[in-house]
Each structure stands twice: as C-alpha cells, then as structure tokens.
Amino acid sequence: MRSVTLAATQMACSWDRAANIAAAEALVREAAAAGAQIILLPELFETPYFCQDRLGRFLDLATPIADNLAVRHFQGVARELGVVLPISVFERAGQNFFNTVAIIDADGALLGTYRKSHIPDSPGYSEKFYFSPGDTGFRVWRTAHAVIGVGICWDQWFPETHRAMALLGAEVLLFPTAIGSEPSLPELDCSGHWQRTMQGQAGANVMPLVASNRIGTETGQEGTEMTFFGHSFIADQTGDKLCDAGRDSAGALTATFDLDAIAGHRAFWGTFRDRRPDLYGPLMTFDGVHRHAGGA
C-alpha cells in the first residue's frame, strides 16, 4: 500500500505580493498539519489576475524562474515540511513570457517546469496578450510522494491533456486555476460545468484529480470586474467529488488515496488496454479530417 494525501486550496489575491505569498504559505501549513503531502495552490496567486486587461506594463510582473520570489520562498517551505508544491508563476524566458508551474519536491529541489499549452483569449481572459503557448509539452514528475501530472487552468478543458499525462505515467492530476464570472455573459455560472469536465477525466483516466481556484472579486485597470467562484475540489479515481471548498471561503481540503489500489483498479478497468491509437488520427488535425500523404 502506497498512501498519499492530497490538498486543494483557495484564496483571494491582492496587489501585495508579499501578503499573497504569506497567505499561500498559511494554507500550505494548514494542509500539511492535516497530513497533506502534495499541496496545490491556485494559478498565478502572487498577484490579481492581471489578464483582465491588455496592458504592456503588466509584462514587468514576469521573472525568470531562478529569480521568482514565490519559487525561492516555497522551496524552503517544501524542505521544512516535506511536501511537494507545484507553484504557478508568470515566467520570463529570454524575449518570451509563459504561464508556468514550477514543481518543487519534498526536499526543496526544483524538478522542472511545465508551461501552459492552451492559452485562452476571451473577454476578461486575455492571456494571449501575455503568454506564448507552452513549449514543454505535457510532463510528469516522480516526486517523493507520487508521480504527478500538472496542467494549468484552460488545459483542464481538453481531455487530451489528462490522457497524455496519464500515458506518461501520472498517478495524480493537478490543475491550478483562475476562473470565475464571464464579463461578456454575466448571467453565466460555469462552476458546475468546470467541475464536471474534470470529474469526467478523473474517471476516464482512473486517477485522482485536484483543482485549486481563487476566490473574491477583482477589478481590472480598465473598469472590468470578475468574481472568482472558488469551488476548489478533489475527485477520486471514479470521478466522485470527495470535497469542495465552496464559493467564498479561503482554506485547504485534503483527501487520502491508496495509489497501489488505484493502479490495480486502473489496470482492471481496461481503458488503457483497449485504446486504439491507430484510429485517433482526427485528433491530430484542427478540423477532424485525417489527411494522408499525397492527397486530401
């Protein structure tokens, strides 16, 4: 039996970066005190969600991974507590900018980074203005407590994200997130749709999934406003939602899993045995038309 305890968190974010890091650390410590070994913080928690606006000055928020205050800070926290921490940051790499997660192992070592693959562009979510599409590809990491796969927010809506990480050997899927109201459709509440999409992928890949969102209302620099709906949650390997943090409260949730038992369930269920990659050619196109060499 290999047991692992996972934690989802949620928090509100301000323009006080030090205060955000301190609030995130408090959540990490709360989760670790409850036994968590892998603890997920929300997407881009160092600042408000600046992608509401399209302002060049916000590019100055980006730093190289080696210089990022949150990464350096949480390396020490991870080492002290013996926990794994995927840390979501705004990365500058040469002339480019990425929405990135840095994977910190339980000894404080930086195992590597994943750069967000799917970049949204809609009212309130103007990420294409800031981020290049990630060039790392989907990745997994063998941490002290489990093999983890980490996607970022919009990645979670694409089943290929989850399946690719599962095929690479992930035992747990994690998604830091910043999602809430839609400025162009204020009557729309997609929180249930958001959860069900990921619950389905947890069930399809037969592995636990953690999603951590932010909460609170944030006002953009150009008069826009977004309210983040929280509802951070943990789903089990059948897609059953085990816990939900609700809409408004900051906090940490935990759930414990037997990874060996889940691996046995996954093998028994047969969805990986019965895959037909030879039939999945349309997934390699934009329009679903499988083109053969030499003609349409």
Side-chain angles (χ1 to χ4, degrees):
M1 174 177 175
R2 286 188 303 128
S3 177
V4 65
T5 300
L6 310 176
T9 67
Q10 63 185 32
M11 58 183 281
C13 303
S14 72
W15 283 109
D16 186 336
R17 183 173 291 192
N20 294 333
I21 291 174
E25 180 181 345
L27 291 175
V28 168
R29 292 186 180 279
E30 176 185 341
Q37 298 158 295
I38 301 174
I39 303 168
L40 184 65
L41 292 164
E43 182 184 17
L44 299 172
F45 65 85
E46 290 181 89
T47 66
Y49 182 69
F50 52 85
C51 304
Q52 280 197 67
D53 303 297
R54 302 169 71 93
L55 297 174
R57 69 175 184 270
F58 285 157
L59 294 170
D60 293 337
L61 297 171
T63 62
I65 294 295
D67 298 334
N68 183 270
L69 294 176
V71 172
R72 294 208 306 258
H73 180 84
F74 282 103
Q75 285 184 281
V77 173
R79 186 181 307 113
E80 176 192 344
L81 299 177
V83 297
V84 173
L85 299 173
I87 300 297
S88 173
V89 299
F90 186 14
E91 179 192 7
R92 178 162 192 157
Q95 299 301 319
N96 276 329
F97 301 84
F98 298 97
N99 188 337
T100 298
V101 168
I103 309 299
I104 301 173
D105 207 355
D107 61 357
L110 179 63
L111 297 183
T113 59
Y114 165 72
R115 292 169 171 166
K116 188 173 183 176
S117 300
H118 303 94
I119 309 298
D121 188 22
S122 62
Y125 299 91
S126 296
E127 295 197 16
K128 281 186 167 66
F129 182 81
Y130 296 100
F131 310 129
S132 293
D135 58 356
T136 58
F138 300 116
R139 304 186 64 191
V140 301
W141 290 268
R142 186 171 296 279
T143 74
H145 301 304
V147 182
I148 65 172
V150 185
I152 304 173
C153 200
W154 191 226
D155 286 334
Q156 66 210 353
W157 294 86
F158 299 85
E160 296 85 357
T161 301
H162 309 74
R163 181 51 53 89
M165 293 190 292
L167 288 170
L168 289 168
E171 298 175 303
V172 174
L173 302 173
L174 303 110
F175 290 90
T177 297
I179 187 171
S181 58
E182 299 285 341
S184 60
L185 292 170
E187 72 282 2
L188 177 64
D189 181 352
C190 70
S191 59
H193 184 188
W194 171 73
Q195 288 188 335
R196 288 188 295 273
T197 295
M198 284 182 283
Q199 288 175 256
Q201 292 309 314
N205 291 287
V206 196
M207 62 185 58
L209 183 148
V210 181
S212 292
N213 194 16
R214 65 174 68 198
I215 58 172
T217 297
E218 298 180 10
T219 302
Q221 303 296 300
E222 299 177 334
T224 58
E225 183 178 275
M226 292 176 62
T227 299
F228 295 90
F229 54 60
H231 285 299
S232 301
F233 73 98
I234 302 174
D236 74 5
Q237 70 276 8
T238 71
D240 188 24
K241 187 171 61 173
L242 302 181
C243 48
D244 183 321
R247 187 172 290 269
D248 301 314
S249 298
L253 306 170
T254 63
T256 300
F257 299 92
D258 179 344
L259 295 177
D260 287 336
I262 292 171
H265 183 185
R266 190 162 50 245
F268 167 80
W269 208 244
T271 51
F272 289 89
R273 177 198 65 208
D274 297 339
R275 292 181 66 251
R276 290 291 307 276
D278 55 313
L279 302 181
Y280 302 156
L283 296 179
M284 303 300 292
T285 72
F286 280 106
D287 63 4
V289 178
H290 188 64
R291 294 179 173 87
H292 298 279

